[in-house]
Amino acid sequence: MGALRDRFWELPLADLTRAEWEALCDGCGRCCLHKLEDEESGAIEYTNVACKLLDTKTAQCSDYRNRKAFVPDCLRLTPKLVRAVGWLPHSCAYRRREEGRPLADWHYLICGDREAVHRRGPGVAGRVVSETDAGPLEHHIVEFDDLSDGRAP
């Protein structure tokens, strides 16, 4: 990873270097959970089913660099996509910064603890099941109202 500027997370997303962009991710794992979209209304339902590459114990991608080869529809998040993707969690560092909000106090760049996202924030480590074990997604619809910001993912 390249050099990171002091307090880079306070800069506009478009001004971040690639290394800073990657470092901004809070590591919650929520974007790697399957979602169901109602074809008529467009409403999104969230599940506790993780992508097959997400380590359900750590909420880290097991092959981040090559993920698109194994999961072709995996999104590479960009500043433009942050604005366009309505299902990003309200707690997401990218979404928070795009909306002009500061990072949450549990974000590792603020508190210095990479595990705080799972203990105090919206992290999914230990709370989800892999798609390889889950069965029908309709059986795994959840609301993440017990998380730090009290809103659905």
Side-chain angles (χ1 to χ4, degrees):
M1 190 181 302
L4 304 176
R5 294 174 283 182
D6 288 338
R7 304 184 70 79
F8 68 88
W9 56 88
E10 295 175 351
L11 297 171
L13 294 179
D15 293 348
L16 300 182
T17 66
R18 174 70 184 232
E20 290 167 342
W21 177 264
E22 292 294 328
L24 184 58
C25 178
D26 54 45
C28 73
R30 288 171 79 185
C31 61
C32 300
L33 300 181
H34 288 281
K35 297 126 192 100
L36 299 171
E37 182 176 4
D38 184 290
E39 291 181 24
E40 291 179 23
S41 70
I44 301 290
E45 300 237 48
Y46 300 91
T47 75
N48 66 346
V49 178
C51 165
K52 64 185 175 186
L53 293 181
L54 193 75
D55 181 322
T56 59
K57 292 184 176 88
T58 66
Q60 296 296 306
C61 184
S62 62
D63 196 356
Y64 184 74
R65 180 179 297 275
N66 302 304
R67 68 192 185 280
K68 296 279 292 173
F70 300 102
V71 183
D73 61 345
C74 181
L75 290 181
R76 181 179 171 272
L77 202 56
T78 64
K80 191 175 187 176
L81 270 179
V82 170
R83 290 185 289 277
V85 178
W87 51 257
L88 275 177
H90 294 281
S91 58
C92 173
Y94 298 111
R95 182 170 181 172
R96 291 178 71 97
R97 293 305 304 132
E98 173 60 31
E99 294 173 349
R101 296 184 291 140
L103 296 181
D105 63 352
W106 45 257
H107 194 291
Y108 82 95
L109 291 170
I110 303 300
C111 72
D113 177 5
R114 282 209 177 259
E115 298 305 313
V117 66
H118 302 295
R119 283 194 318 279
R120 300 179 8 218
V124 301
R127 301 173 61 189
V128 295
V129 61
S130 174
E131 69 182 325
T132 59
D133 301 320
L137 291 178
E138 296 80 16
H139 297 163
H140 293 274
I141 294 172
V142 296
E143 287 188 31
F144 287 106
D145 59 350
D146 62 329
L147 300 178
S148 64
D149 63 2
R151 292 154 76 171

